[in-house]
Amino acid sequence: MLWVAKAGAFNLFRSKPYPEVFFEGGLLAVAEAIKGHDIDRAKALAEKLPDIDAPGHEHFTLLAFAVADTNIPAIKMLMR
C-alpha cells in the first residue's frame, strides 16, 4: 500500500486530496469550500486572500487542489 502512504493526503475512502493536509488559515477555508463544491463560498473567501496563488504545504496551490479534485467549476473560478 505504498501509494496511500503520502501523509494521509489520499486514501481508499476519499480518493481526492484532503484540504487540511495542504492548507491552513484562509487557504484552508477556500479549499474546504472547493471540496464541498460550494463555489460561491469559495469565491467569496478567495477574494479576501492577499494572494490566491500562494502555495500551501508541499507547494500545493488552490488551483492544483481543484485540479486534483477534478472540480471544473472551481478551476474556472480560480483562473478568472
Side-chain angles (χ1 to χ4, degrees), residues 24-30 42-54 62 78:
E24 58 187 39
L27 292 171
L28 175 59
V30 177
K43 182 178 181 181
L45 291 167
E47 289 173 350
K48 297 176 183 177
L49 294 175
D51 182 5
I52 197 167
D53 295 320
L62 290 171
L78 290 166

Side-chain angles (χ1 to χ4, degrees):
M1 294 273 173
L2 293 175
W3 57 276
V4 292
K6 181 72 171 158
F10 300 89
N11 74 17
L12 295 175
F13 303 106
R14 280 186 11 183
S15 62
K16 305 294 181 181
Y18 289 98
E20 61 274 10
V21 171
F22 299 103
F23 305 105
E24 58 187 39
L27 292 171
L28 175 59
V30 177
E32 288 174 335
I34 288 170
K35 185 72 178 167
H37 297 277
D38 188 347
I39 302 305
D40 291 334
R41 181 169 179 254
K43 182 178 181 181
L45 291 167
E47 289 173 350
K48 297 176 183 177
L49 294 175
D51 182 5
I52 197 167
D53 295 320
H57 305 296
E58 299 192 33
H59 309 287
F60 223 59
T61 63
L62 290 171
L63 182 57
F65 182 81
V67 169
D69 195 46
T70 59
N71 189 326
I72 303 301
I75 293 167
K76 288 180 179 179
M77 182 270 300
L78 290 166
M79 293 191 70
R80 288 189 184 146

